């Protein structure tokens, strides 16, 4: 890796998926106020709502968003104006 091309605060950070408590370690410049113990070391932690371990596209499990459907709901509200 070239010297001097990364910011000073480029460091190992743990990202924690809050929906299933899965964690993974990567390098980032994200600001983190909390720390977490991960694989015997203490790292700053960034909490995320969704990751590849909980996203329906990657898991193959679809979640029901609403019963009417987004397109049907949109067409019922704004479809009349178009006709």
């Amino acid at each position: 890796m070239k010297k001097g091309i990364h910011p000073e605060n480029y460091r190992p950070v743990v990202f924690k998926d809050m929906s299933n408590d899965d964690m993974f370690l990567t390098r980032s410049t994200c600001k983190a106020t909390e720390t977490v113990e991960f694989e015997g070391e203490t790292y700053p932690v960034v909490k995320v709502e969704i990751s590849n371990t909980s996203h329906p596209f990657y898991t193959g499990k679809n979640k029901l968003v609403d019963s009417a459907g987004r397109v049907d709901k949109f067409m019922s509200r704004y479809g009349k104006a178009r006709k």
Side-chain angles (χ1 to χ4, degrees), residues 13-77:
V13 175
V14 171
F15 284 85
K16 181 176 182 181
D17 186 341
M18 297 307 293
S19 63
N20 62 4
D21 291 331
D22 186 49
M23 296 189 291
F24 60 94
L25 179 67
T26 187
R27 296 178 62 86
S28 178
T29 59
C30 290
K31 292 182 182 178
T33 57
E34 299 177 33
T35 60
V36 69
E37 179 102 6
F38 183 74
E39 296 179 352
E41 297 286 328
T42 303
Y43 297 103
V45 64
V46 175
K47 296 178 180 178
V48 294
E49 295 296 322
I50 195 163
S51 70
N52 65 326
T53 59
S54 63
H55 193 280
F57 179 80
Y58 296 105
T59 61
K61 298 177 184 175
N62 290 329
K63 293 182 182 176
L64 183 60
V65 176
D66 55 56
S67 60
R70 291 181 182 180
V71 174
D72 293 334
K73 191 181 282 187
F74 177 83
M75 292 307 287
S76 68
R77 282 188 190 165

